[in-house]
Amino acid sequence: MVRGAFTAQRTSRLLTRRSTLGLLAAATILPSRAFAHVAPPRNEIRDSLAKRFTDLGTSGTFVGYKVEDYLIVASDKDRSGEGKLPASTFKIPNSLIALETGVVTDPDKDVFAWDGVKRPIEAWNKDHTLRSAIAVSAVPVYQEIARRIGQERMQKYVEEFDYGNRDIGGGIDQFWLTGNLRIDPVEQIDFVDRLRRRALPIGKRSQDLVCDILPVTKVGDSIIRAKSGLLGAERGEPSLGWMVGWAEKGEAHTVFALNMDCKEPRLIGERMPLTQACLTEIGAI
């Protein structure tokens, strides 16, 4: 059931940048001075999406952007606009910056040696390439990548990406886990959609490679390219789960972001099934 739309103020703010939610494609056809007259995407709130979280006994939000339909569908208008720590979804921009700066030259050949420290997630206790590290969401590898990128270059690219609140305070290898960085689901969609369209202000090769190494889930004739995130995973104290990416069904694309409270272990494994259920409901897969 459709309950309403995002607030006008929220929608207006999100649609002021040329890059937001596919508007770049429209802008390329029109003179830049005419861009302000491009109609914004339609948007709606569906209570049935919100009910999926309560049925699981948790709180959360889902936002999907159906590119070809020019339609934003969300479970709510409040949490969808609340900034949260991105956790391991930041591995997407971290990978892009690593490739663009040359910290990683080949996602399949450059090896990050295990430091020998035993961690609770066994898959982290081994050498990794960028591809294998993103597949198992190896936090220690990406912390080392961030240290090699360094504060100055990291800040530069986070600002150029217009990623969340762009605040990387709290430690170069902690700011996306326990520091100051915050991003909301709609901002996640904006960022991921620009990556999908290869519209980020970096080289196409870096974007192609990151799209290629993103974990893939096949559902029937559809493909989901997505990165998960779990706050507190590295400490064994999970609290918030993310799933962001896009679904491909034939020629149709839907960019999405989900976050949910994961304070009980049983909820950690529900992130992808719930994402799939939401995508199915809106006809994305």
Side-chain angles (χ1 to χ4, degrees):
M1 180 176 69
V2 178
R3 178 159 50 87
F6 290 107
T7 62
Q9 180 180 8
R10 172 93 180 131
T11 304
S12 174
R13 182 177 69 81
L14 290 169
L15 298 173
T16 54
R17 297 206 315 274
R18 292 169 63 92
S19 61
T20 300
L21 300 180
L23 291 184
L24 184 64
T28 59
I29 306 171
L30 301 167
S32 58
R33 63 181 178 276
F35 178 75
H37 302 292
V38 176
R42 295 175 296 121
N43 51 80
E44 63 185 52
I45 305 295
R46 292 192 187 176
D47 291 333
S48 54
L49 291 171
K51 185 175 183 296
R52 294 185 180 276
F53 294 94
T54 56
D55 285 349
L56 277 175
T58 190
S59 298
T61 186
F62 171 86
V63 184
Y65 170 53
K66 302 189 73 175
V67 177
E68 285 72 27
D69 295 340
Y70 222 45
L71 173 66
I72 301 170
V73 184
S75 62
D76 65 276
K77 65 182 178 64
D78 296 319
R79 183 160 171 158
S80 60
E82 293 176 4
K84 309 282 187 184
L85 279 159
S88 283
T89 66
F90 188 75
K91 286 184 173 67
I92 300 176
N94 209 355
S95 297
L96 289 165
I97 299 166
L99 288 160
E100 192 69 8
T101 58
V103 166
V104 175
T105 57
D106 189 315
D108 295 301
K109 294 180 180 178
D110 294 5
V111 175
F112 291 84
W114 178 40
D115 60 9
V117 178
K118 288 281 289 184
R119 296 178 174 88
I121 299 177
E122 189 57 38
W124 295 0
N125 301 326
K126 58 183 287 189
D127 295 350
H128 278 289
T129 62
L130 193 67
R131 186 184 299 275
S132 68
I134 200 169
V136 300
S137 207
V139 169
V141 172
Y142 276 88
Q143 288 181 307
E144 175 60 23
I145 286 172
R147 288 189 289 267
R148 294 186 189 183
I149 291 169
Q151 188 84 13
E152 184 176 345
R153 291 192 295 183
M154 185 70 80
Q155 184 68 62
K156 170 182 177 288
Y157 283 101
V158 167
E159 289 183 1
E160 289 184 358
F161 291 168
D162 199 7
Y163 187 88
N165 66 357
R166 299 173 291 178
D167 186 344
I168 66 169
I172 188 59
D173 57 3
Q174 287 290 330
F175 65 85
W176 68 93
L177 299 168
T178 60
N180 298 342
L181 189 61
R182 298 291 186 276
I183 189 167
D184 67 45
V186 179
E187 290 168 336
Q188 288 269 30
I189 287 176
D190 173 42
F191 171 73
V192 170
D193 188 53
R194 283 181 284 149
L195 170 61
R196 181 190 65 84
R197 294 185 285 112
R198 313 304 197 267
L200 291 167
I202 57 173
K204 183 175 181 294
R205 176 181 181 270
S206 299
Q207 297 178 77
D208 284 344
L209 289 172
V210 171
C211 289
D212 183 62
I213 67 174
L214 274 177
V216 171
T217 301
K218 294 184 178 180
V219 183
D221 60 354
S222 301
I223 292 175
I224 301 173
R225 303 181 191 275
K227 183 69 195 76
S228 62
L230 185 63
L231 281 183
E234 71 285 356
R235 302 187 306 275
E237 301 171 358
S239 57
L240 176 80
W242 278 101
M243 193 67 70
V244 303
W246 69 90
E248 303 170 8
K249 182 180 182 182
E251 297 299 315
H253 294 79
T254 300
V255 191
F256 64 86
L258 172 148
N259 72 45
M260 57 186 283
D261 294 342
C262 289
K263 297 176 183 179
E264 300 175 52
R266 67 177 177 86
L267 294 169
I268 296 172
E270 295 290 346
R271 290 169 296 169
M272 179 54 86
L274 183 54
T275 296
Q276 291 182 26
C278 292
L279 288 171
T280 299
E281 178 174 330
I282 67 172
I285 59 174

